[in-house]
Amino acid sequence: MTTLTRDPVRTAPAGSTRNKWIPRLGGPVWLIWRQHRAAFWTLIAVTLLGVVAMVYLRGQMMDYLSAQEPTSRRSGGLPPEFETHVDRLRSIAGYFSFIPVLAGVLLGAPLIAGDLETGTAKLVTSQSVSRLRWLTMKLAVPATMLALSTGILASVFTWWWQPAKGLSEGLIWTSVFSVTGVTPVAYALLMFTVGVAAGMLLRRTLVSMVVTLGIVVAIEFVWSELWRSLGHIMSINTDKGVGSGAVPPELPLEAEQQGQGTYFLTGSGDRLGWTTCLDQVENDRAHTTCLQSKDIVGWSIDYLPVDQMQTMQWLGAGIMLTLTAAIVAFVLLWGRKRLL
């Protein structure tokens, strides 16, 4: 009779050796991943798809630019076909505006509100896990995933945009200010924490999502109106008159004009609107006399230069991260005492 013996290595559970060196999640981190794994895997999938798409589109753009004469690239004389690549860049930039909305409404708002609504929060904190530890992990895991995802997407988009920078008026730096550099990461984290705070206070998932959506839209409107004030507005002036043969000053490359347009500059340094003496423009002599009577010596234009872009982005990100930290502190302090 043949005696069968068992090899302990072969009969061991498959995961015991195969995953020997793979770290395993445990405790609150495992629970949080388990609860929100659908959202996390969706975030990972979207990030991978976005990276692949942008790498592919950048490759097409670089092939197109390589086929052009270097002089045409420097002088901005690229054929109209280049606008196809510009439109692609702008379209992807437009999709970035949805990231803060999704971070606040779909990830932040249900995070704690869902646990309060279903009773999961009470069950978890009745075990050996303290409220503070549970809240900290509840915030840290999704925030880390969100920051990594947004940071990767923003970095790849910036890498795509850099070679096309300054080659088209449609790609002026102000059009991609909020989707390049560190700004998207700080923006997404701020909206995420806003959603978390709303969910903790309202304690109902659907209500929290609706309220968060309203807050996010309001913040986006305020940001779109105020972010240019983070920079220092420069002025370029002329003093050679505004009559026949005189031309307004030309802005530096990639600069964005600010204000209401071109102003008239007086000898004393004051500025007058471009409509000054407009009612007499049909009569050259009367128009010239009017301009002279107001001591107008040239033009003046306000603008934001491209070299302020990174400074403005870091300043804006610093403000948003400060607000994020304040909201996180509120969530932890409030939740520690009044969560249940």
Side-chain angles (χ1 to χ4, degrees):
M1 175 180 278
T2 303
T3 304
L4 298 177
T5 60
R6 293 184 177 181
D7 186 343
V9 175
R10 295 189 178 188
T11 57
S16 61
T17 56
R18 191 188 322 172
N19 300 327
K20 182 178 180 180
W21 305 108
I22 300 177
R24 297 184 178 183
L25 301 178
V29 177
W30 176 87
L31 177 60
I32 294 167
W33 176 271
R34 183 76 177 174
Q35 282 183 298
H36 307 286
R37 62 188 182 278
F40 293 153
W41 281 117
T42 301
L43 192 61
I44 293 172
V46 169
T47 302
L48 292 176
L49 289 174
V51 169
V52 171
M54 286 188 286
V55 169
Y56 174 74
L57 293 174
R58 185 186 189 273
Q60 287 190 327
M61 185 186 73
M62 294 306 296
D63 291 341
Y64 177 84
L65 292 177
S66 298
Q68 306 302 313
E69 294 292 337
T71 54
S72 66
R73 293 179 59 178
R74 288 195 298 268
S75 62
L78 289 170
E81 291 79 8
F82 180 67
E83 293 304 313
T84 301
H85 300 281
V86 174
D87 292 339
R88 291 172 180 174
L89 271 161
R90 299 184 69 177
S91 296
I92 298 297
Y95 293 140
F96 270 76
S97 63
F98 292 104
I99 294 179
V101 177
L102 298 177
V105 176
L106 298 183
L107 188 59
L111 193 71
I112 294 178
D115 287 354
L116 292 172
E117 203 168 18
T118 60
T120 304
K122 187 173 183 179
L123 176 63
V124 172
T125 54
S126 64
Q127 308 300 316
S128 59
V129 179
S130 66
R131 293 182 186 180
L132 182 60
R133 183 187 176 194
W134 177 72
L135 282 171
T136 302
M137 292 296 100
K138 196 75 173 174
L139 289 169
V141 175
T144 301
M145 294 287 296
L146 183 63
L148 288 174
S149 175
T150 309
I152 292 171
L153 289 172
S155 298
V156 176
F157 181 86
T158 304
W159 174 65
W160 178 19
W161 168 68
Q162 284 292 343
K165 179 181 176 183
L167 300 182
S168 171
E169 293 183 359
L171 287 179
I172 189 170
W173 64 275
T174 52
S175 65
V176 297
F177 179 84
S178 295
V179 297
T180 57
V182 69
T183 308
V185 178
Y187 203 172
L189 290 176
L190 174 60
M191 298 307 179
F192 167 71
T193 53
V194 166
V196 172
M200 186 185 67
L201 295 175
L202 298 175
R203 308 173 74 90
R204 292 292 182 270
T205 302
L206 184 58
V207 176
S208 301
M209 294 172 70
V210 173
V211 172
T212 300
L213 178 60
I215 297 175
V216 167
V217 171
I219 293 177
E220 286 196 339
F221 174 77
V222 173
W223 171 250
S224 66
E225 292 294 316
L226 297 181
W227 69 262
R228 285 177 174 81
S229 63
L230 298 173
H232 176 64
I233 295 179
M234 311 290 288
S235 297
I236 184 170
N237 303 322
T238 64
D239 58 359
K240 305 300 182 182
V242 296
S244 178
V247 296
E250 185 176 348
L251 293 179
L253 185 64
E254 296 184 67
E256 183 190 64
Q257 183 171 324
Q258 304 295 299
Q260 300 178 353
T262 303
Y263 298 91
F264 287 129
L265 184 68
T266 66
S268 61
D270 296 331
R271 297 198 300 183
L272 304 176
W274 64 272
T275 57
T276 301
C277 301
L278 186 63
D279 57 338
Q280 302 181 40
V281 69
E282 294 182 359
N283 187 324
D284 291 340
R285 190 169 185 177
H287 186 241
T288 301
T289 302
C290 177
L291 294 176
Q292 291 176 348
S293 67
K294 297 183 181 299
D295 192 25
I296 294 175
V297 297
W299 282 286
S300 178
I301 303 178
D302 292 338
Y303 68 94
L304 276 176
V306 66
D307 56 14
Q308 293 189 24
M309 180 178 183
Q310 288 189 350
T311 303
M312 293 169 63
Q313 285 178 326
W314 279 103
L315 180 57
I319 294 172
M320 287 188 282
L321 291 176
T322 300
L323 292 174
T324 300
I327 296 173
V328 168
F330 167 76
V331 169
L332 294 178
L333 292 174
W334 179 281
R336 186 179 180 184
K337 296 181 178 180
R338 306 184 184 182
L339 183 63
L340 303 178

